[in-house]
Amino acid sequence: MNSPAIRLVLCWHMHQPEYREAGTGRYALPWTYLHAIKDYVDMAAHLEATPGARAVVNFAPVLLEQIKDYADQVAAFLSRGEAVSDPVLALLGAQSPPAGATERMQLAEACARANRKRLIEPHAEYRVLVDMLPWLRQQPDAVAYLADQYFFDLVTWYHLVWLGETVRRKDPRIDLLMKQGRDFTPGQRRLLLEIIAELLGNLIGRYRRLARSGQVELSFTPYAHPIMPLLLDLKSAREAVPEMKLPEAPSYPGGDARVRWHVAHGMRVFESHFGLRPAGCWPSEGSVSDATLRLLAQEGVRWAASGEGVLLNSLRTSSAEPPAADRTWLYRPYRYDAESLAVFFRDDALSDSIGFRYADWHGDDAVADFIHQLEQIAVQLAGSRRPQDPPPVVSVILDGENAWEYYPNNGFYFLSALYPKLVAHPDIELTTFSDVLDDGPPPSALSRVVAGSWVYGNFETWIGSADKNRGWDMLVDAKIHVDRVLAQGRLTPVEEAAVLDQLAVCEGSDWCWWFGDYNPSSAVSLFERLYRQHLSHLYRLMGETPPAYLAQSVSRGSGEPVAGGVMRTGQKSE
């Protein structure tokens, strides 16, 4: 068998933060289960439909816990009538909607949070229901006069459009509901809940089977998705942006121990769901530093990955010569320092083509363009490749959930063409990061990295602005309190474990991601309120009164970024 011209690793990262309100268990936002029944289901189905396809699928452990919680809750409701703690999902099975006008309006607004072009416009009955909302916002008292059926039809349609396209195409029960279009009965809403229960209950098992068959390599992110380099050293933000303004706090206390906690606990949670120990790690947001990579190696991680910008910054720093124009430096694994850890780096252009460029393309044209870019890389590298050299490795790494909402039919046409075309291509081999390390020669040496993430090669998305820095200072204050209380020894082992779990949630990356004027005010408000609520509960778990400042807003937002702020490109647009 001839050696392929290109070895391609598609790595899909699945992540949602902790949406459960601390103390109540109520889900403040429904994105975990909605992405599960739409995107995680579809991504598994496309791989199952092409047995020759291979990919890496990365899961954040805090997401896995929430998927299981949702599956357990829906099953308990269907079998025993137990309450579901997500208000949107609970409405689907309710006997009646809330009586209060405020609660009714909140649920109606929640059931309209969907991409207008792709999820609302194609369905006339759903569109009519959603289009009533602007008038209701102007006449809030009128919501009390709406019949219960309005809310039941709205919530039914909301869940129908958030189902995976592979589900809608294969399940005749869904087809019948969508054709009916209105006046959904309690029995039909229960049927939809049963379908959702099947999807949630089977999801983890589907990925486990794909891993056991060898089609998928499953990898993990540290438990609650922390930005590890910043926990280890806040000043590492200045390696890529020397003029970066930092929080008032000089450092995050005990950062090394906390990062190790996230890595070890994340592995335990991952293994409890999949029955295997992950070999690889997508560090939260591809964020790496020298200290982070050394720590991952010490914790037994075999490979990690980051962004093209990080590698470029690192190569420019370590050599007087600029990186070669043919970009051979990007298409290989690296061995970090003297550690056993291998590091791969994302091709920004290819990854962002899927994330941003192809959403409005015809699926076949998008796949043809993607393959053409791979072929160009192969031609470009052929001149510098000796016969004995291993094939170049192209790493395409991106969000495996948010992009598809912007594609027709949840990316069905693109993904259903992508895998078969790649499998059939004579010069492209789909593989995984671990198989690259198993089959190839020793990776190139990388003596150091410039700390950064896959977003722009730096940490500007999480630190540096007044709002983001305030978020860090609030977290540092909470950590100082945690350390003092734990040192006093007045908590029981169970109480101490609860404090550390809650601290981990507060250390997640998503809160500061949303802080800033460039994000939509509605999203910023939801996330910053949840962050303050999580911090407040952390103090209460320690038996302390939360600081008064946690009752005050941290960030408001005012922008309208691409994809509503849920995704970013690897490089800044010029």
Side-chain angles (χ1 to χ4, degrees):
M1 179 178 177
N2 292 331
S3 174
I6 288 285
R7 301 189 79 186
L8 172 65
V9 179
L10 295 173
C11 178
W12 308 108
H13 173 51
M14 313 302 199
H15 162 61
Q16 295 294 323
E18 177 59 85
Y19 289 123
R20 287 170 288 194
E21 291 180 344
T24 69
R26 178 184 182 273
Y27 280 92
L29 292 167
W31 305 128
T32 292
Y33 86 88
L34 291 176
H35 282 294
I37 65 175
K38 184 170 76 74
D39 306 301
Y40 310 152
V41 162
D42 269 0
M43 294 297 275
H46 285 294
L47 284 162
E48 291 163 346
T50 312
R54 305 191 68 206
V56 175
V57 182
N58 189 87
F59 280 98
V62 72
L63 167 63
L64 294 172
E65 289 183 334
Q66 291 178 88
I67 291 173
K68 185 179 186 303
D69 183 49
Y70 269 113
D72 291 345
Q73 287 198 36
V74 179
F77 171 80
L78 292 171
S79 63
R80 300 186 297 275
E82 295 182 11
V84 173
S85 63
D86 187 299
V88 178
L89 188 56
L91 179 60
L92 193 59
Q95 295 298 313
S96 60
T102 299
E103 288 180 286
R104 283 183 168 227
M105 194 64 194
Q106 287 174 343
L107 281 170
E109 295 277 13
C111 291
R113 289 187 191 130
N115 183 277
R116 178 81 193 192
K117 179 179 179 181
R118 300 303 188 193
L119 299 184
I120 297 175
E121 291 290 350
H123 309 288
E125 296 92 343
Y126 182 39
R127 186 175 67 247
V128 168
L129 300 173
V130 172
D131 285 348
M132 293 175 66
L133 285 173
W135 182 81
L136 287 171
R137 293 184 194 115
Q138 299 300 318
Q139 308 288 335
D141 293 340
V143 73
Y145 290 95
L146 289 176
D148 291 353
Q149 195 63 47
Y150 169 78
F151 297 96
F152 287 142
D153 283 3
L154 181 62
V155 75
T156 301
W157 264 111
Y158 187 59
H159 288 92
L160 288 173
V161 302
W162 271 91
L163 286 173
E165 182 67 15
T166 59
V167 179
R168 286 203 294 263
R169 286 172 179 258
K170 292 182 178 180
D171 194 324
R173 298 171 295 178
I174 299 301
D175 187 53
L176 289 173
L177 290 173
M178 297 188 76
K179 285 179 178 177
Q180 178 173 317
R182 58 179 298 165
D183 299 321
F184 298 108
T185 67
Q188 289 172 321
R189 288 187 283 112
R190 183 180 177 88
L191 173 65
L192 185 50
L193 264 176
E194 290 171 352
I195 294 169
I196 290 171
E198 293 170 10
L199 297 174
L200 292 171
N202 294 331
L203 183 61
I204 300 302
R206 293 176 73 174
Y207 282 99
R208 189 188 302 120
R209 287 189 292 275
L210 284 166
R212 287 175 177 170
S213 72
Q215 255 193 280
V216 162
E217 177 179 6
L218 293 171
S219 59
F220 86 116
T221 295
Y223 176 69
H225 212 265
I227 301 297
M228 294 185 286
L230 296 181
L231 290 183
L232 292 168
D233 181 7
L234 289 174
K235 295 182 181 64
S236 68
R238 286 181 170 163
E239 291 184 23
V241 184
E243 69 278 12
M244 175 80 74
K245 292 183 178 180
L246 296 178
E248 292 180 8
S251 63
Y252 187 73
D256 183 88
R258 290 306 298 157
V259 170
R260 291 182 191 278
W261 185 97
H262 281 274
V263 174
H265 189 57
M267 282 190 176
R268 285 193 295 270
V269 171
F270 180 98
E271 192 166 1
S272 72
H273 284 80
F274 292 118
L276 59 91
R277 186 176 177 84
C281 173
W282 170 246
S284 318
E285 308 294 357
S287 56
V288 296
S289 63
D290 285 334
T292 302
L293 293 178
R294 281 194 296 270
L295 187 150
L296 289 175
Q298 291 163 10
E299 293 296 320
V301 174
R302 187 185 187 199
W303 63 258
S306 186
E308 180 178 332
V310 170
L311 178 59
L312 199 53
N313 289 340
S314 303
L315 294 176
R316 286 169 174 163
T317 301
S318 61
S319 173
E321 298 295 323
D326 64 6
R327 291 163 57 86
T328 53
W329 43 269
L330 180 60
Y331 303 115
R332 64 179 68 157
Y334 287 83
R335 183 74 63 192
Y336 175 68
D337 198 14
E339 305 288 356
S340 58
L341 183 77
V343 189
F344 296 83
F345 293 92
R346 173 187 195 261
D347 183 302
D348 282 346
L350 279 169
S351 303
D352 289 343
S353 289
I354 296 176
F356 295 92
R357 288 181 59 226
Y358 294 149
D360 292 317
W361 290 37
H362 187 284
D364 289 339
D365 292 340
V367 171
D369 181 80
F370 184 77
I371 290 176
H372 178 64
Q373 289 189 66
L374 288 168
E375 292 170 338
Q376 285 186 312
I377 292 171
V379 170
Q380 178 179 316
L381 301 182
S384 57
R385 181 183 171 194
R386 300 168 301 176
Q388 68 271 25
D389 288 341
V393 179
V394 179
S395 301
V396 173
I397 308 171
L398 71 151
D399 187 320
E401 57 210 354
N402 288 303
W404 314 121
E405 186 179 347
Y406 299 87
Y407 278 67
N409 299 85
N410 208 42
F412 179 86
Y413 305 110
F414 173 73
L415 289 165
S416 61
L418 178 69
Y419 285 122
K421 292 287 179 62
L422 289 173
V423 169
H425 198 289
D427 294 323
I428 299 172
E429 177 192 350
L430 278 173
T431 187
T432 68
F433 290 132
S434 283
D435 277 0
V436 168
L437 298 178
D438 288 340
D439 301 342
S444 303
L446 185 65
S447 59
R448 66 156 302 199
V449 297
V450 173
S453 76
W454 73 266
V455 186
Y456 313 152
N458 60 45
F459 296 128
E460 287 178 336
T461 301
W462 300 274
I463 198 170
S465 72
D467 291 357
K468 296 177 190 296
N469 288 348
R470 181 59 185 143
W472 276 99
D473 282 326
M474 290 159 57
L475 178 63
V476 170
D477 286 348
K479 181 58 162 59
I480 291 171
H481 279 77
V482 168
D483 290 346
R484 188 184 70 241
V485 169
L486 294 184
Q488 291 170 353
R490 57 182 170 84
L491 300 182
T492 68
V494 172
E495 290 170 336
E496 183 174 324
V499 166
L500 294 178
D501 286 347
Q502 184 61 25
L503 175 62
V505 170
C506 298
E507 291 167 335
S509 70
D510 293 83
W511 319 120
C512 286
W513 168 289
W514 286 102
F515 295 172
D517 291 341
Y518 53 83
N519 276 322
S521 58
S522 59
V524 172
S525 175
L526 289 167
F527 279 89
E528 74 89 28
R529 181 186 63 81
L530 190 54
Y531 179 55
R532 288 186 289 113
Q533 197 263 351
H534 279 306
L535 282 172
S536 296
H537 187 66
L538 176 60
Y539 281 95
R540 294 189 186 99
L541 287 173
M542 293 185 286
E544 300 206 348
T545 301
Y549 62 70
L550 288 178
Q552 301 169 1
S553 178
V554 181
S555 185
R556 299 187 184 278
S558 62
E560 289 299 331
V562 176
V566 296
M567 298 187 296
R568 302 242 160 96
T569 55
Q571 299 180 20
K572 289 184 179 180
S573 55
E574 298 298 332

